[in-house]
Amino acid sequence: MGIVDRLKAIGPGALVAAAFVGPGTVTTASVIGAEYAYVLVWTIAFSILATMVLQEMSARLGLISREGLGEALRDEFSNPLAKWASVLLVVSAIGIGTAAFQTGNIVGGAAGLATITGVSENVWGPLIGIVAGALLWSGNYKLIERVFIGLVAVMGGAFLLNAIMVRPDLGALAGGLVPTIPEGSAYLIAGLVGTTVVGYNLFLHASTVQERWDGPDDLAECRTDTIGMIVVGGLITTAIVVTAAAVFPEGTTIADVGEMADQLEPVFGGYALTFFAIGLFAAGFTSAMSAPLAGAYATAGALGWERDLKSTRFRAIWVTILSVGVVFSAVGFDPVQVIVFAQVANGLLLPIIALFLIYAMNNTELLGEYTNSTLQNVLGGLVTLVVVGIGVQTLYDVLIVEGWLEVLVGFAVF
């Protein structure tokens, strides 16, 4: 396949990359670079490999079976209790989880625009929501896909240019590929893996490949798109770590991404600040579109509803998710509580989704000759084990160490 053909193959993989390189990833990668320089670059490499393994399975499931992951989950169980338990799990964790993350996505994109224009995030937030809603309401998948591809290009260009401008130590960067866990870094490792290997992306990918391709004959092109765009997402995340590592003395603690961008200005005469802000906006805007879309695909599939971008029920789901982010961003609601809730939900759900995905990928009635190979099962199993460990660590750190148990109880009551 030539370069032109590979570029033409770009499609749903761009949605996946855009979804996991959101404000949460930008923030976590910035903090990692500032505090530990290049030491935790290996975490990005692992996250990208894990994402490739699971997203390839998800894409293959959708392409071959012509079912979304939510539908496959619903149809796998004959026992009514098990079936509706699985439906409840998907609707609550994916639907509510994407709604919770949506606030952070919109606020992150608005922060980027506020940095450039000086206009408040409370103004840009609703505008981002309105534009994202208009694109989704069009029901034109090709248009939506092209917007994602364009924004990924903008985001990648901005962050990669920043990384080039700081002239990183390539030797130290390569050394960061050797797994090391410095004291106090476990929480950041869990955070970066958790913002890269995202449960709702598995639902999004299984459905969107069906919008782009027709069946088994397109599997090679689908894999090219999946692997290529996930690698691009990994390079963007690495570029953010590189920028922070080069600008700040190792051990620096930064409060937020805006602080990091402000400190880049005197070093680069304002150009890096502008590029970083553009990248942050693109990261927030793409995630503000992908989260509602993923939530709609997952929920509609689990409930057995039509997964048509123009159907009333499908639109009702993503409008609800998008509205949560718009309202909370407009009133200046602190998104920390809902984001923590979403992280906990994702930490609990991802291992379950991964296990089910592997189980479904060995169903010959569903996939025929396209079931998992032994190697794919082993890799999937290893990824799942690591994800379980990270999920446990995340829950412990968030609920006990950081004292968020009381906050979550209060949020649940609210």
PDB file of all heavy atoms in Angstrom, residues 152-178:
ATOM      1  N   VAL A 152      -7.143  16.333  14.378  1.00  0.00           N
ATOM      2  CA  VAL A 152      -5.999  15.528  14.817  1.00  0.00           C
ATOM      3  C   VAL A 152      -4.722  16.059  14.170  1.00  0.00           C
ATOM      4  O   VAL A 152      -3.658  16.129  14.798  1.00  0.00           O
ATOM      5  CB  VAL A 152      -6.194  14.034  14.472  1.00  0.00           C
ATOM      6  CG1 VAL A 152      -4.894  13.259  14.656  1.00  0.00           C
ATOM      7  CG2 VAL A 152      -7.278  13.424  15.357  1.00  0.00           C
ATOM      8  N   ALA A 153      -4.819  16.448  12.894  1.00  0.00           N
ATOM      9  CA  ALA A 153      -3.662  17.023  12.200  1.00  0.00           C
ATOM     10  C   ALA A 153      -3.226  18.328  12.869  1.00  0.00           C
ATOM     11  O   ALA A 153      -2.031  18.570  13.080  1.00  0.00           O
ATOM     12  CB  ALA A 153      -3.996  17.255  10.733  1.00  0.00           C
ATOM     13  N   VAL A 154      -4.194  19.175  13.218  1.00  0.00           N
ATOM     14  CA  VAL A 154      -3.891  20.444  13.890  1.00  0.00           C
ATOM     15  C   VAL A 154      -3.266  20.181  15.254  1.00  0.00           C
ATOM     16  O   VAL A 154      -2.236  20.787  15.620  1.00  0.00           O
ATOM     17  CB  VAL A 154      -5.169  21.291  14.043  1.00  0.00           C
ATOM     18  CG1 VAL A 154      -4.919  22.489  14.956  1.00  0.00           C
ATOM     19  CG2 VAL A 154      -5.656  21.768  12.678  1.00  0.00           C
ATOM     20  N   MET A 155      -3.896  19.290  16.022  1.00  0.00           N
ATOM     21  CA  MET A 155      -3.409  18.964  17.357  1.00  0.00           C
ATOM     22  C   MET A 155      -2.002  18.388  17.298  1.00  0.00           C
ATOM     23  O   MET A 155      -1.102  18.786  18.042  1.00  0.00           O
ATOM     24  CB  MET A 155      -4.378  17.971  18.010  1.00  0.00           C
ATOM     25  CG  MET A 155      -3.992  17.505  19.398  1.00  0.00           C
ATOM     26  SD  MET A 155      -5.359  16.601  20.196  1.00  0.00           S
ATOM     27  CE  MET A 155      -5.697  15.288  19.012  1.00  0.00           C
ATOM     28  N   GLY A 156      -1.807  17.429  16.383  1.00  0.00           N
ATOM     29  CA  GLY A 156      -0.503  16.800  16.251  1.00  0.00           C
ATOM     30  C   GLY A 156       0.556  17.794  15.824  1.00  0.00           C
ATOM     31  O   GLY A 156       1.671  17.820  16.371  1.00  0.00           O
ATOM     32  N   GLY A 157       0.214  18.641  14.852  1.00  0.00           N
ATOM     33  CA  GLY A 157       1.172  19.635  14.384  1.00  0.00           C
ATOM     34  C   GLY A 157       1.578  20.599  15.485  1.00  0.00           C
ATOM     35  O   GLY A 157       2.767  20.931  15.632  1.00  0.00           O
ATOM     36  N   ALA A 158       0.617  21.057  16.276  1.00  0.00           N
ATOM     37  CA  ALA A 158       0.904  22.015  17.346  1.00  0.00           C
ATOM     38  C   ALA A 158       1.818  21.417  18.405  1.00  0.00           C
ATOM     39  O   ALA A 158       2.852  22.003  18.770  1.00  0.00           O
ATOM     40  CB  ALA A 158      -0.406  22.478  17.985  1.00  0.00           C
ATOM     41  N   PHE A 159       1.462  20.231  18.909  1.00  0.00           N
ATOM     42  CA  PHE A 159       2.252  19.626  19.979  1.00  0.00           C
ATOM     43  C   PHE A 159       3.616  19.135  19.486  1.00  0.00           C
ATOM     44  O   PHE A 159       4.630  19.268  20.178  1.00  0.00           O
ATOM     45  CB  PHE A 159       1.486  18.472  20.622  1.00  0.00           C
ATOM     46  CG  PHE A 159       0.333  18.929  21.494  1.00  0.00           C
ATOM     47  CD1 PHE A 159      -0.920  18.352  21.372  1.00  0.00           C
ATOM     48  CD2 PHE A 159       0.502  19.936  22.424  1.00  0.00           C
ATOM     49  CE1 PHE A 159      -1.985  18.768  22.166  1.00  0.00           C
ATOM     50  CE2 PHE A 159      -0.556  20.366  23.218  1.00  0.00           C
ATOM     51  CZ  PHE A 159      -1.798  19.776  23.094  1.00  0.00           C
ATOM     52  N   LEU A 160       3.671  18.571  18.286  1.00  0.00           N
ATOM     53  CA  LEU A 160       4.945  18.092  17.751  1.00  0.00           C
ATOM     54  C   LEU A 160       5.889  19.254  17.456  1.00  0.00           C
ATOM     55  O   LEU A 160       7.103  19.148  17.679  1.00  0.00           O
ATOM     56  CB  LEU A 160       4.709  17.257  16.489  1.00  0.00           C
ATOM     57  CG  LEU A 160       4.046  15.887  16.727  1.00  0.00           C
ATOM     58  CD1 LEU A 160       3.662  15.236  15.397  1.00  0.00           C
ATOM     59  CD2 LEU A 160       4.978  14.961  17.509  1.00  0.00           C
ATOM     60  N   LEU A 161       5.345  20.367  16.971  1.00  0.00           N
ATOM     61  CA  LEU A 161       6.178  21.539  16.732  1.00  0.00           C
ATOM     62  C   LEU A 161       6.749  22.067  18.043  1.00  0.00           C
ATOM     63  O   LEU A 161       7.931  22.451  18.114  1.00  0.00           O
ATOM     64  CB  LEU A 161       5.366  22.631  16.041  1.00  0.00           C
ATOM     65  CG  LEU A 161       6.136  23.906  15.664  1.00  0.00           C
ATOM     66  CD1 LEU A 161       7.315  23.571  14.748  1.00  0.00           C
ATOM     67  CD2 LEU A 161       5.207  24.903  14.977  1.00  0.00           C
ATOM     68  N   ASN A 162       5.940  22.074  19.087  1.00  0.00           N
ATOM     69  CA  ASN A 162       6.440  22.469  20.407  1.00  0.00           C
ATOM     70  C   ASN A 162       7.611  21.598  20.824  1.00  0.00           C
ATOM     71  O   ASN A 162       8.631  22.076  21.325  1.00  0.00           O
ATOM     72  CB  ASN A 162       5.326  22.343  21.456  1.00  0.00           C
ATOM     73  CG  ASN A 162       4.485  23.599  21.565  1.00  0.00           C
ATOM     74  OD1 ASN A 162       4.899  24.670  21.152  1.00  0.00           O
ATOM     75  ND2 ASN A 162       3.299  23.463  22.114  1.00  0.00           N
ATOM     76  N   ALA A 163       7.454  20.272  20.625  1.00  0.00           N
ATOM     77  CA  ALA A 163       8.497  19.331  21.035  1.00  0.00           C
ATOM     78  C   ALA A 163       9.787  19.555  20.259  1.00  0.00           C
ATOM     79  O   ALA A 163      10.894  19.461  20.816  1.00  0.00           O
ATOM     80  CB  ALA A 163       8.012  17.892  20.840  1.00  0.00           C
ATOM     81  N   ILE A 164       9.663  19.850  18.973  1.00  0.00           N
ATOM     82  CA  ILE A 164      10.857  20.102  18.150  1.00  0.00           C
ATOM     83  C   ILE A 164      11.561  21.387  18.605  1.00  0.00           C
ATOM     84  O   ILE A 164      12.791  21.464  18.690  1.00  0.00           O
ATOM     85  CB  ILE A 164      10.462  20.199  16.670  1.00  0.00           C
ATOM     86  CG1 ILE A 164       9.992  18.829  16.163  1.00  0.00           C
ATOM     87  CG2 ILE A 164      11.641  20.693  15.830  1.00  0.00           C
ATOM     88  CD1 ILE A 164       9.380  18.856  14.780  1.00  0.00           C
ATOM     89  N   MET A 165      10.775  22.388  18.939  1.00  0.00           N
ATOM     90  CA  MET A 165      11.338  23.688  19.324  1.00  0.00           C
ATOM     91  C   MET A 165      12.159  23.600  20.605  1.00  0.00           C
ATOM     92  O   MET A 165      13.115  24.365  20.786  1.00  0.00           O
ATOM     93  CB  MET A 165      10.215  24.710  19.482  1.00  0.00           C
ATOM     94  CG  MET A 165       9.551  25.123  18.163  1.00  0.00           C
ATOM     95  SD  MET A 165       8.152  26.239  18.410  1.00  0.00           S
ATOM     96  CE  MET A 165       8.981  27.719  18.966  1.00  0.00           C
ATOM     97  N   VAL A 166      11.811  22.686  21.510  1.00  0.00           N
ATOM     98  CA  VAL A 166      12.544  22.611  22.777  1.00  0.00           C
ATOM     99  C   VAL A 166      13.811  21.775  22.669  1.00  0.00           C
ATOM    100  O   VAL A 166      14.588  21.698  23.615  1.00  0.00           O
ATOM    101  CB  VAL A 166      11.652  22.036  23.907  1.00  0.00           C
ATOM    102  CG1 VAL A 166      10.450  22.918  24.136  1.00  0.00           C
ATOM    103  CG2 VAL A 166      11.229  20.598  23.619  1.00  0.00           C
ATOM    104  N   ARG A 167      14.057  21.139  21.508  1.00  0.00           N
ATOM    105  CA  ARG A 167      15.269  20.352  21.270  1.00  0.00           C
ATOM    106  C   ARG A 167      15.533  19.345  22.395  1.00  0.00           C
ATOM    107  O   ARG A 167      16.460  19.499  23.188  1.00  0.00           O
ATOM    108  CB  ARG A 167      16.475  21.271  21.101  1.00  0.00           C
ATOM    109  CG  ARG A 167      16.347  22.201  19.913  1.00  0.00           C
ATOM    110  CD  ARG A 167      17.542  23.119  19.783  1.00  0.00           C
ATOM    111  NE  ARG A 167      17.400  24.035  18.667  1.00  0.00           N
ATOM    112  CZ  ARG A 167      18.291  24.971  18.333  1.00  0.00           C
ATOM    113  NH1 ARG A 167      19.389  25.108  19.062  1.00  0.00           N
ATOM    114  NH2 ARG A 167      18.081  25.752  17.296  1.00  0.00           N
ATOM    115  N   PRO A 168      14.742  18.297  22.469  1.00  0.00           N
ATOM    116  CA  PRO A 168      14.855  17.328  23.572  1.00  0.00           C
ATOM    117  C   PRO A 168      16.156  16.537  23.524  1.00  0.00           C
ATOM    118  O   PRO A 168      16.790  16.410  22.474  1.00  0.00           O
ATOM    119  CB  PRO A 168      13.648  16.409  23.346  1.00  0.00           C
ATOM    120  CG  PRO A 168      13.395  16.494  21.875  1.00  0.00           C
ATOM    121  CD  PRO A 168      13.697  17.915  21.504  1.00  0.00           C
ATOM    122  N   ASP A 169      16.547  16.001  24.674  1.00  0.00           N
ATOM    123  CA  ASP A 169      17.702  15.111  24.792  1.00  0.00           C
ATOM    124  C   ASP A 169      17.268  13.733  24.299  1.00  0.00           C
ATOM    125  O   ASP A 169      16.596  12.993  25.012  1.00  0.00           O
ATOM    126  CB  ASP A 169      18.152  15.047  26.255  1.00  0.00           C
ATOM    127  CG  ASP A 169      19.398  14.201  26.459  1.00  0.00           C
ATOM    128  OD1 ASP A 169      19.697  13.345  25.586  1.00  0.00           O
ATOM    129  OD2 ASP A 169      20.067  14.375  27.492  1.00  0.00           O
ATOM    130  N   LEU A 170      17.643  13.379  23.057  1.00  0.00           N
ATOM    131  CA  LEU A 170      17.173  12.127  22.465  1.00  0.00           C
ATOM    132  C   LEU A 170      17.697  10.903  23.209  1.00  0.00           C
ATOM    133  O   LEU A 170      17.016   9.879  23.292  1.00  0.00           O
ATOM    134  CB  LEU A 170      17.594  12.066  20.990  1.00  0.00           C
ATOM    135  CG  LEU A 170      16.999  13.162  20.086  1.00  0.00           C
ATOM    136  CD1 LEU A 170      17.476  12.977  18.651  1.00  0.00           C
ATOM    137  CD2 LEU A 170      15.474  13.138  20.147  1.00  0.00           C
ATOM    138  N   GLY A 171      18.897  10.997  23.784  1.00  0.00           N
ATOM    139  CA  GLY A 171      19.439   9.884  24.555  1.00  0.00           C
ATOM    140  C   GLY A 171      18.620   9.615  25.801  1.00  0.00           C
ATOM    141  O   GLY A 171      18.278   8.463  26.105  1.00  0.00           O
ATOM    142  N   ALA A 172      18.272  10.701  26.509  1.00  0.00           N
ATOM    143  CA  ALA A 172      17.452  10.550  27.711  1.00  0.00           C
ATOM    144  C   ALA A 172      16.052  10.074  27.352  1.00  0.00           C
ATOM    145  O   ALA A 172      15.442   9.288  28.080  1.00  0.00           O
ATOM    146  CB  ALA A 172      17.370  11.887  28.451  1.00  0.00           C
ATOM    147  N   LEU A 173      15.553  10.532  26.207  1.00  0.00           N
ATOM    148  CA  LEU A 173      14.233  10.107  25.757  1.00  0.00           C
ATOM    149  C   LEU A 173      14.213   8.604  25.484  1.00  0.00           C
ATOM    150  O   LEU A 173      13.272   7.904  25.882  1.00  0.00           O
ATOM    151  CB  LEU A 173      13.852  10.882  24.494  1.00  0.00           C
ATOM    152  CG  LEU A 173      12.482  10.589  23.877  1.00  0.00           C
ATOM    153  CD1 LEU A 173      11.369  10.911  24.869  1.00  0.00           C
ATOM    154  CD2 LEU A 173      12.285  11.405  22.597  1.00  0.00           C
ATOM    155  N   ALA A 174      15.234   8.106  24.815  1.00  0.00           N
ATOM    156  CA  ALA A 174      15.334   6.668  24.550  1.00  0.00           C
ATOM    157  C   ALA A 174      15.480   5.887  25.850  1.00  0.00           C
ATOM    158  O   ALA A 174      14.908   4.802  26.009  1.00  0.00           O
ATOM    159  CB  ALA A 174      16.522   6.388  23.630  1.00  0.00           C
ATOM    160  N   GLY A 175      16.215   6.453  26.808  1.00  0.00           N
ATOM    161  CA  GLY A 175      16.377   5.784  28.104  1.00  0.00           C
ATOM    162  C   GLY A 175      15.073   5.649  28.865  1.00  0.00           C
ATOM    163  O   GLY A 175      14.911   4.739  29.677  1.00  0.00           O
ATOM    164  N   GLY A 176      14.139   6.544  28.569  1.00  0.00           N
ATOM    165  CA  GLY A 176      12.843   6.486  29.245  1.00  0.00           C
ATOM    166  C   GLY A 176      11.984   5.313  28.819  1.00  0.00           C
ATOM    167  O   GLY A 176      10.939   5.048  29.429  1.00  0.00           O
ATOM    168  N   LEU A 177      12.413   4.589  27.771  1.00  0.00           N
ATOM    169  CA  LEU A 177      11.669   3.405  27.334  1.00  0.00           C
ATOM    170  C   LEU A 177      11.922   2.204  28.233  1.00  0.00           C
ATOM    171  O   LEU A 177      11.222   1.191  28.139  1.00  0.00           O
ATOM    172  CB  LEU A 177      12.047   3.055  25.881  1.00  0.00           C
ATOM    173  CG  LEU A 177      11.602   4.078  24.824  1.00  0.00           C
ATOM    174  CD1 LEU A 177      12.186   3.722  23.466  1.00  0.00           C
ATOM    175  CD2 LEU A 177      10.072   4.127  24.747  1.00  0.00           C
ATOM    176  N   VAL A 178      12.935   2.302  29.103  1.00  0.00           N
ATOM    177  CA  VAL A 178      13.213   1.229  30.062  1.00  0.00           C
ATOM    178  C   VAL A 178      12.275   1.400  31.258  1.00  0.00           C
ATOM    179  O   VAL A 178      12.305   2.440  31.925  1.00  0.00           O
ATOM    180  CB  VAL A 178      14.680   1.271  30.538  1.00  0.00           C
ATOM    181  CG1 VAL A 178      14.933   0.169  31.558  1.00  0.00           C
ATOM    182  CG2 VAL A 178      15.628   1.149  29.356  1.00  0.00           C
TER     183      VAL A 178
END
